[in-house]
């Protein structure tokens, strides 16, 4: 009767139509040679349909108009192009008018402008991603599971774009210090710590969200990470102690870079504060690295926080000095200290303190109006020279340790 032909789901054999059900009538019509048939029980029956590619549900309906075949494919392709065009127009409008208009507004929440600036680019990319996904989903795909794959890829891209916007909004961490003092807000080390902690948190959440999308068991991963973190924390207790001590130092701010401090037997200028240790430069330019945990457990003397420095010592004069000379010397020293611009008036003391082994000791005490160590040394130098001039003018000699030897004659 001739070769069978397939048309609209019917197999025509010997001028008779036999209705069959195939996965795709279109491809069988285009490639009828792929249909194997034979005579079974005296009638034609399809034995096998060999297909390596098929297009399913190839139809397009708009209102009362139903298109099939190539017309439906062309209609779907046209819709995909329209979706891409709409996505491009929305993105262009957002970049030119939408986002600039939102940034120009005044917002009650200080974090809103930060979020708008950080999401300006990701939102535009989201529009493109939505357009590409909708356009791709509107096309007839023959590969099984392609629709699910497109959805998974779309969700992964959207998750990455959201995380990109949050990552760029690291200035939100600075809002945590909004209620703190200006000194804390201007602390670059603390701001850097908050910025780094915020970005690490966003990265961790992004990785967890992506793993959840692709089907990884997040619960098991979190439990394993907890055990690993516990092991690391036990093995690095000292490092953790230094880290938290560094945070306490940055928040409590007992000293700052440039301050002159004394910690235990270490004295010098603070040149650096990090999360593990503090670097102190002593007078001989030696760099001392002191761990933050040791600083927190020690008494810290911060000379930079005091407004004055003490100038105090015992002035020893010889026992040969008469009382009138002692009284005149103490009067002149008191007058010199009171007239000096270096001293705090009302705190100057010049008094006879005690009698030493080889000297009469006069207490000289004053507070110098500076907290800078270099200025204090210069002031102390000038005052000491003035004391020498007064001693010479009053005819009083400095005492020094001496021993008198008496020889008895028989």
């Amino acid at each position: 009767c001739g070769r069978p032909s397939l048309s609209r789901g019917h197999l025509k054999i010997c001028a008779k139509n036999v209705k069959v059900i195939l996965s795709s009538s279109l491809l069988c019509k285009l490639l009828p040679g792929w249909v194997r048939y034979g005579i079974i029980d005296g009638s034609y029956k399809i034995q096998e349909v060999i297909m390596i590619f098929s297009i399913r549900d190839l139809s397009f309906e708009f209102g009362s108009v139903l298109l099939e075949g190539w017309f439906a494919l062309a209609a779907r392709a046209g819709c995909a192009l329209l979706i891409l065009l709409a996505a491009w127009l929305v993105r262009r409008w957002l970049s030119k008018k939408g986002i600039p208009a939102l940034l120009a507004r005044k917002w009650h929440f200080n974090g809103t402008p930060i979020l708008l600036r950080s999401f300006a680019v990701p939102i535009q990319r989201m529009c493109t991603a939505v357009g590409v996904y909708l356009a791709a989903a509107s096309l007839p795909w023959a590969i099984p599971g392609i629709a699910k794959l497109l959805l998974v890829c779309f969700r992964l891209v959207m998750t990455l774009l959201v995380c990109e916007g949050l990552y760029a909004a690291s200035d939100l961490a600075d809002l945590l210090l909004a209620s703190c003092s200006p000194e804390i807000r201007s602390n670059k080390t603390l701001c850097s710590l908050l910025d780094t902690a915020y970005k690490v948190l966003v990265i961790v959440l992004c990785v967890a969200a992506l793993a959840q999308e692709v089907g990884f068991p997040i619960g098991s991963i979190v439990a394993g990470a907890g055990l690993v973190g516990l092991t690391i924390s036990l093995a690095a207790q000292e490092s953790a102690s230094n880290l938290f001590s560094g945070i306490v130092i940055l928040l409590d701010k007992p000293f700052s870079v440039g301050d002159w401090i004394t910690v235990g037997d270490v004295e010098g200028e603070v040149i650096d504060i990090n999360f593990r240790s503090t670097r102190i430069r002593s007078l001989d330019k030696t760099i001392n690295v002191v761990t933050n945990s040791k600083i927190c457990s020690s008494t810290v003397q911060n000379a930079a926080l005091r407004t004055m420095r003490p100038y105090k010592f015992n002035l020893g004069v010889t026992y040969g000095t008469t009382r009138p000379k002692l009284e005149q010397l103490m009067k002149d020293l008191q007058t010199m200290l009171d007239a000096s611009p270096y001293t705090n008036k009302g705190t100057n003391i010049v008094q006879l303190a005690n009698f030493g082994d080889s000297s009469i000791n006069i207490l000289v005490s004053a507070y110098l109006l500076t907290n800078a160590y270099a200025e204090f040394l210069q002031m102390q130098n000038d005052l000491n020279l003035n004391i020498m001039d007064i001693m010479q003018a009053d005819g009083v000699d400095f005492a020094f340790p001496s021993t008198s030897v008496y020889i008895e004659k028989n």
Side-chain angles (χ1 to χ4, degrees), residues 255-274:
F255 52 83
S256 303
V257 174
D259 292 352
W260 189 275
I261 67 172
T262 302
V263 182
D265 57 350
V266 178
E267 181 180 2
E269 179 187 4
V270 179
I271 60 175
D272 181 56
I273 305 173
N274 53 51

Side-chain angles (χ1 to χ4, degrees), residues 66-253:
L66 177 63
L67 300 177
E68 294 184 352
W70 291 109
F71 294 104
L73 180 62
R76 289 198 177 192
C79 289
L81 292 176
L82 289 177
I83 292 174
L84 291 175
L85 178 61
W88 179 79
L89 292 175
V90 172
R91 175 172 179 169
R92 185 175 179 82
W93 179 83
L94 285 174
S95 63
K96 298 295 183 181
K97 295 183 178 180
I99 296 177
L102 292 175
L103 289 174
R105 292 183 55 185
K106 293 184 178 180
W107 302 91
H108 297 290
F109 178 53
N110 295 331
T112 303
I114 298 176
L115 290 173
L116 288 175
R117 286 192 297 268
S118 62
F119 275 91
V121 175
I123 286 179
Q124 299 177 39
R125 294 174 179 173
M126 287 179 186
C127 293
T128 302
V130 170
V132 171
Y133 169 71
L134 294 178
S138 64
L139 296 175
W141 297 96
I143 303 175
I146 193 67
K148 183 178 180 180
L149 178 62
L150 288 174
L151 179 60
V152 171
C153 292
F154 171 71
R155 297 176 67 172
L156 290 176
V157 170
M158 296 299 288
T159 301
L160 284 173
L161 292 175
V162 171
C163 293
E164 178 188 359
L166 293 176
Y167 186 87
S170 58
D171 291 341
L172 289 174
D174 296 340
L175 298 179
L176 298 175
L177 305 177
S179 59
C180 299
S181 63
E183 294 182 355
I184 295 180
R185 291 199 302 268
S186 60
N187 192 309
K188 295 182 179 180
T189 305
L190 183 58
C191 293
S192 175
L193 170 64
L194 292 176
D195 183 78
T196 303
Y198 174 85
K199 290 181 177 180
V200 170
L201 179 61
V202 171
I203 292 175
V204 171
L205 294 178
C206 177
V207 172
L210 293 176
Q212 183 72 26
E213 289 296 335
V214 298
F216 281 98
I218 299 300
S220 301
I221 295 176
V222 172
L227 293 176
V228 173
L230 178 61
T231 304
I232 295 176
S233 63
L234 292 176
Q237 278 185 328
E238 185 177 355
S239 299
S241 176
N242 290 328
L243 174 62
F244 286 108
S245 298
I247 296 175
V248 170
I249 291 174
L250 293 173
L251 292 176
D252 189 47
K253 211 173 179 64

